[in-house]
Amino acid sequence: MIEYIDLDTFKRIDLRVGLVKHAERVPGSEKLIRLVVDLGELGNRQIIAGLAKWYKPEDFVGKYIVVVANMKPRKMMGYESQGMLLATDTDPPVIITVEKEVKPGARLT
């Protein structure tokens, strides 16, 4: 079942384009990858993603991904995740990317 939201609720989600500058496995974890993502005026953010089962760190570098920039920070294996990247809930998950090069930090509306 789908839960509907109104436009005001949707506007509270700050979706931005991020350029992945660096990625590496999280030591001691089989699932986690640590990304450093350029969000333009918001600066670089560290995002921890549980995608190591399907992706290598080098798969992310240089990609323009969609990020929830106002996600509450969360600690994972001693690292603070400062956002969330968008991906499908399929197996394997598909990372949501931007078709063309765009300025890091651009908002999605």
Side-chain angles (χ1 to χ4, degrees), residues 80-93:
E80 183 176 71
S81 187
Q82 302 164 325
M84 176 193 282
L85 65 83
L86 295 185
T88 65
D89 68 351
T90 56
D91 187 3

Side-chain angles (χ1 to χ4, degrees), residues 13-63:
I13 303 168
D14 190 356
L15 297 174
R16 303 280 182 132
V17 174
L19 173 60
V20 180
K21 304 296 257 178
H22 176 79
E24 65 185 9
R25 296 287 304 258
V26 170
S29 174
E30 293 182 15
K31 298 179 181 180
L32 301 178
I33 296 177
R34 184 181 81 88
L35 308 172
V36 176
V37 181
D38 178 0
L39 291 179
E41 65 189 30
L42 299 179
N44 287 339
R45 296 279 184 91
Q46 175 174 265
I47 296 176
I48 310 302
L51 297 168
K53 176 180 174 182
W54 302 279
Y55 292 93
K56 297 182 212 114
E58 54 268 22
D59 295 334
F60 291 94
V61 178
K63 298 267 195 250

Side-chain angles (χ1 to χ4, degrees), residues 2-13:
I2 190 165
E3 180 182 342
Y4 291 98
I5 61 172
D6 61 24
L7 185 58
D8 288 333
T9 302
F10 177 75
K11 286 181 177 180
R12 292 179 50 210
I13 303 168

